[in-house]
mmCIF file of all heavy atoms in Angstrom:
data_model
loop_
_atom_site.group_PDB
_atom_site.id
_atom_site.type_symbol
_atom_site.label_atom_id
_atom_site.label_comp_id
_atom_site.label_asym_id
_atom_site.label_seq_id
_atom_site.Cartn_x
_atom_site.Cartn_y
_atom_site.Cartn_z
ATOM 1 N N MET A 1 66.533 47.719 87.233
ATOM 2 C CA MET A 1 65.165 47.257 87.018
ATOM 3 C C MET A 1 64.731 47.666 85.614
ATOM 4 O O MET A 1 64.788 48.837 85.263
ATOM 5 C CB MET A 1 64.286 47.917 88.063
ATOM 6 C CG MET A 1 63.023 47.171 88.311
ATOM 7 S SD MET A 1 62.203 47.681 89.794
ATOM 8 C CE MET A 1 62.022 49.432 89.529
ATOM 9 N N THR A 2 64.324 46.716 84.822
ATOM 10 C CA THR A 2 64.045 47.014 83.406
ATOM 11 C C THR A 2 62.584 47.274 83.106
ATOM 12 O O THR A 2 62.206 47.768 82.090
ATOM 13 C CB THR A 2 64.489 45.815 82.519
ATOM 14 O OG1 THR A 2 63.890 44.655 83.055
ATOM 15 C CG2 THR A 2 65.988 45.653 82.538
ATOM 16 N N LYS A 3 61.694 46.935 84.067
ATOM 17 C CA LYS A 3 60.258 47.120 83.808
ATOM 18 C C LYS A 3 59.924 48.596 83.658
ATOM 19 O O LYS A 3 60.538 49.457 84.282
ATOM 20 C CB LYS A 3 59.452 46.614 85.008
ATOM 21 C CG LYS A 3 59.722 45.178 85.365
ATOM 22 C CD LYS A 3 58.950 44.246 84.518
ATOM 23 C CE LYS A 3 59.270 42.796 84.914
ATOM 24 N NZ LYS A 3 59.021 41.896 83.842
ATOM 25 N N GLN A 4 58.894 48.852 82.848
ATOM 26 C CA GLN A 4 58.317 50.184 82.782
ATOM 27 C C GLN A 4 57.762 50.555 84.144
ATOM 28 O O GLN A 4 57.008 49.773 84.747
ATOM 29 C CB GLN A 4 57.166 50.180 81.779
ATOM 30 C CG GLN A 4 57.570 50.122 80.354
ATOM 31 C CD GLN A 4 58.137 51.464 79.895
ATOM 32 O OE1 GLN A 4 57.658 52.494 80.306
ATOM 33 N NE2 GLN A 4 59.235 51.410 79.142
ATOM 34 N N HIS A 5 58.082 51.736 84.640
ATOM 35 C CA HIS A 5 57.562 52.142 85.942
ATOM 36 C C HIS A 5 56.034 52.185 85.939
ATOM 37 O O HIS A 5 55.393 51.941 86.965
ATOM 38 C CB HIS A 5 58.124 53.516 86.339
ATOM 39 C CG HIS A 5 59.590 53.483 86.628
ATOM 40 N ND1 HIS A 5 60.467 54.405 86.138
ATOM 41 C CD2 HIS A 5 60.305 52.575 87.320
ATOM 42 C CE1 HIS A 5 61.687 54.073 86.537
ATOM 43 N NE2 HIS A 5 61.624 52.991 87.234
ATOM 44 N N SER A 6 55.461 52.529 84.798
ATOM 45 C CA SER A 6 53.984 52.670 84.758
ATOM 46 C C SER A 6 53.287 51.343 84.919
ATOM 47 O O SER A 6 52.070 51.300 85.096
ATOM 48 C CB SER A 6 53.605 53.313 83.439
ATOM 49 O OG SER A 6 54.070 52.515 82.364
ATOM 50 N N GLU A 7 54.013 50.226 84.860
ATOM 51 C CA GLU A 7 53.399 48.891 85.100
ATOM 52 C C GLU A 7 53.540 48.430 86.509
ATOM 53 O O GLU A 7 53.058 47.406 86.931
ATOM 54 C CB GLU A 7 54.052 47.858 84.191
ATOM 55 C CG GLU A 7 53.873 48.090 82.719
ATOM 56 C CD GLU A 7 54.763 47.151 81.889
ATOM 57 O OE1 GLU A 7 55.202 46.097 82.418
ATOM 58 O OE2 GLU A 7 55.002 47.491 80.744
ATOM 59 N N LEU A 8 54.337 49.191 87.311
ATOM 60 C CA LEU A 8 54.699 48.725 88.646
ATOM 61 C C LEU A 8 53.868 49.372 89.732
ATOM 62 O O LEU A 8 53.319 50.460 89.564
ATOM 63 C CB LEU A 8 56.189 49.021 88.883
ATOM 64 C CG LEU A 8 57.196 48.251 88.049
ATOM 65 C CD1 LEU A 8 58.573 48.767 88.257
ATOM 66 C CD2 LEU A 8 57.096 46.757 88.393
ATOM 67 N N VAL A 9 53.837 48.670 90.855
ATOM 68 C CA VAL A 9 53.219 49.180 92.067
ATOM 69 C C VAL A 9 54.327 49.265 93.102
ATOM 70 O O VAL A 9 55.146 48.367 93.220
ATOM 71 C CB VAL A 9 52.123 48.193 92.558
ATOM 72 C CG1 VAL A 9 51.504 48.676 93.860
ATOM 73 C CG2 VAL A 9 51.071 48.000 91.482
ATOM 74 N N PHE A 10 54.350 50.383 93.825
ATOM 75 C CA PHE A 10 55.363 50.597 94.856
ATOM 76 C C PHE A 10 54.718 50.609 96.218
ATOM 77 O O PHE A 10 53.730 51.363 96.430
ATOM 78 C CB PHE A 10 56.156 51.906 94.602
ATOM 79 C CG PHE A 10 56.946 51.884 93.362
ATOM 80 C CD1 PHE A 10 56.439 52.319 92.172
ATOM 81 C CD2 PHE A 10 58.261 51.326 93.351
ATOM 82 C CE1 PHE A 10 57.164 52.300 90.989
ATOM 83 C CE2 PHE A 10 58.986 51.261 92.180
ATOM 84 C CZ PHE A 10 58.456 51.751 90.986
ATOM 85 N N LEU A 11 55.221 49.808 97.123
ATOM 86 C CA LEU A 11 54.682 49.740 98.466
ATOM 87 C C LEU A 11 55.748 50.230 99.457
ATOM 88 O O LEU A 11 56.918 49.909 99.334
ATOM 89 C CB LEU A 11 54.331 48.295 98.846
ATOM 90 C CG LEU A 11 53.377 47.553 97.902
ATOM 91 C CD1 LEU A 11 53.196 46.100 98.413
ATOM 92 C CD2 LEU A 11 52.008 48.253 97.873
ATOM 93 N N GLY A 12 55.291 51.014 100.455
ATOM 94 C CA GLY A 12 56.173 51.462 101.545
ATOM 95 C C GLY A 12 55.889 50.606 102.793
ATOM 96 O O GLY A 12 54.729 50.469 103.163
ATOM 97 N N LEU A 13 56.938 50.066 103.391
ATOM 98 C CA LEU A 13 56.770 49.274 104.583
ATOM 99 C C LEU A 13 57.418 50.020 105.749
ATOM 100 O O LEU A 13 58.480 50.598 105.611
ATOM 101 C CB LEU A 13 57.431 47.879 104.411
ATOM 102 C CG LEU A 13 56.687 46.864 103.568
ATOM 103 C CD1 LEU A 13 56.789 47.215 102.082
ATOM 104 C CD2 LEU A 13 57.238 45.481 103.777
ATOM 105 N N GLY A 14 56.784 49.936 106.923
ATOM 106 C CA GLY A 14 57.344 50.605 108.107
ATOM 107 C C GLY A 14 56.961 49.818 109.343
ATOM 108 O O GLY A 14 55.882 49.222 109.402
#
Side-chain angles (χ1 to χ4, degrees):
M1 203 165 55
T2 53
K3 304 276 179 204
Q4 286 287 321
H5 292 135
S6 59
E7 296 170 21
L8 292 173
V9 177
F10 294 92
L11 304 178
L13 284 73

